[in-house]
Amino acid sequence: AEGYADVVLLGNSEEIIKMVQDNNLDLSKSTMIDPKTSDKAEEYADALFELRKEKGMTREQARELMNDETHYGMMMVKQGDADGLVSGAIHSSSDTLRPALQILKTAPGTKLVSAFFLMVVPNCDYTSDDGVFVFGDCGLNQNPTAEELAEIAKSSHDSFEALTGRESRVAMLSYSTKGSAHSELTDKVIEATNILHERYPEVKADGELQLDAAIVPSVASSKAPESPVAGNCNTLIFPDLDAGNIGYKLVQRLAHAEAYGPLCQGIAKPVNDLSRGCSAEDIAGVIAITCVQAQ
């Protein structure tokens, strides 16, 4: 209705039409494709076979996979018949991301595929960016190494700037600020920060920082007075998936924030994975973000 995307719905056409009728919806501006009856299925199967035959895939297996909406959709993107893919409302993350990595592969120059959430916090008193944050990685990499954490930070920095048009300021989060505690956990974040500074000096970042030192100016002036970004960070990098997943859900539920994601970064074409607890508004928001990524 808002006209920001040309939507293609993949699935059983009869089931989709019944849902449309039962809910009195108008999907006249969208296109419906049933992969099982599509005239493109053979073309996509041949292309998938050529892509994966060295990995042992047979032509028959490729043809069977074209009955699956996610694999079919990935081939649409691969062949240039779609600009991006949104899935996950009724699929697991692995069912969305595995075919993305197998078919679309990673973007040139990317060392790691990761996930982030775009968080929009209402009535936010922190940062100069209207309560808009990127949280990474909150959806994919379980326990990244220091090197992987640095790559997540760089990708998240790029995603923030691409989606908002504003400058990213990165906080490498920990339970410690500037040596207030020492352990293997803090050492990893410190090492990641050093790698980030060495490889990507253009990224404004600091760590290790506690969350309050990262976003609260008064705390930053006390705990990290020499930091170039503390107290005004908008790109928050969590040390592992436990912290990231808990962190975004706390903000989403307690602060009533809009949480878009997990969004993918590092794949050659835009692919985004929804939470199975998503709302219709969440899906529409992720489609909008996918459109921006495709540009």
Side-chain angles (χ1 to χ4, degrees):
E2 294 182 20
Y4 57 78
D6 295 322
V7 177
V8 180
L9 295 168
L10 300 180
N12 182 294
S13 298
E14 292 181 2
E15 292 179 3
I16 295 173
I17 291 170
K18 185 176 187 305
M19 285 185 228
V20 169
Q21 293 172 341
D22 290 347
N23 292 279
N24 194 30
L25 302 175
D26 177 13
L27 294 185
S28 59
K29 292 182 180 179
S30 65
T31 301
M32 282 183 284
I33 295 177
D34 188 339
K36 293 181 180 178
T37 59
S38 167
D39 56 6
K40 284 270 193 175
E42 286 297 333
E43 173 191 329
Y44 291 164
D46 288 343
L48 179 59
F49 167 68
E50 291 298 327
L51 188 68
R52 300 286 296 169
K53 63 183 179 182
E54 292 184 3
K55 299 291 185 180
M57 179 173 287
T58 65
R59 195 177 297 275
E60 290 72 24
Q61 288 171 330
R63 183 64 189 86
E64 181 64 26
L65 285 173
M66 286 307 97
N67 292 326
D68 171 66
E69 294 92 346
T70 307
H71 282 84
Y72 184 97
M74 294 297 175
M75 288 307 300
M76 287 186 70
V77 177
K78 179 71 174 178
Q79 298 297 94
D81 294 329
D83 297 304
L85 181 142
V86 175
S87 183
I90 57 170
H91 297 85
S92 69
S93 293
S94 61
D95 286 341
T96 299
L97 298 177
R98 188 184 302 109
L101 294 173
Q102 291 174 342
I103 294 171
L104 301 177
K105 306 188 184 301
T106 57
T110 299
K111 297 180 180 179
L112 181 74
V113 173
S114 57
F116 69 96
F117 276 81
L118 184 70
M119 306 294 295
V120 183
V121 183
N123 306 312
C124 183
D125 295 329
Y126 308 118
T127 82
S128 55
D129 297 287
D130 303 321
V132 178
F133 297 84
V134 157
F135 286 12
D137 177 334
C138 301
L140 188 56
N141 293 284
Q142 294 182 7
N143 188 20
T145 64
E147 184 165 329
E148 289 171 338
L149 208 55
E151 293 299 324
I152 291 167
K154 174 59 165 67
S155 294
S156 299
H157 162 275
D158 293 347
S159 293
F160 182 91
E161 295 196 343
L163 293 173
T164 69
R166 300 174 181 178
E167 180 184 65
S168 168
R169 299 175 296 278
V170 179
M172 307 296 284
L173 296 180
S174 175
Y175 70 91
S176 166
T177 297
K178 296 297 183 180
S180 62
H182 294 282
S183 72
E184 289 183 4
L185 300 177
T186 61
D187 287 346
K188 181 177 84 166
V189 177
I190 293 168
E191 183 183 352
T193 305
N194 291 336
I195 294 170
L196 182 65
H197 285 155
E198 182 179 334
R199 289 185 184 171
Y200 310 107
E202 73 279 9
V203 175
K204 290 188 175 180
D206 204 5
E208 83 286 24
L209 295 173
Q210 291 166 291
L211 187 278
D212 54 357
I215 66 171
V216 183
S218 60
V219 176
S221 64
S222 171
K223 291 186 175 183
E226 305 300 320
S227 174
V229 295
N232 197 28
C233 293
N234 50 31
T235 305
L236 307 181
I237 308 304
F238 292 83
D240 58 36
L241 191 56
D242 271 338
N245 187 273
I246 293 167
Y248 102 76
K249 288 186 175 179
L250 273 172
V251 176
Q252 179 187 30
R253 299 301 179 182
L254 297 185
H256 305 290
E258 298 171 49
Y260 298 109
L263 305 166
C264 298
Q265 49 195 8
I267 298 175
K269 297 288 184 71
V271 172
N272 287 314
D273 178 34
L274 296 155
S275 165
R276 276 178 281 182
C278 65
S279 66
E281 290 75 15
D282 294 334
I283 299 171
V286 170
I287 291 171
I289 291 167
T290 306
C291 291
V292 174
Q293 291 176 319
Q295 293 171 347

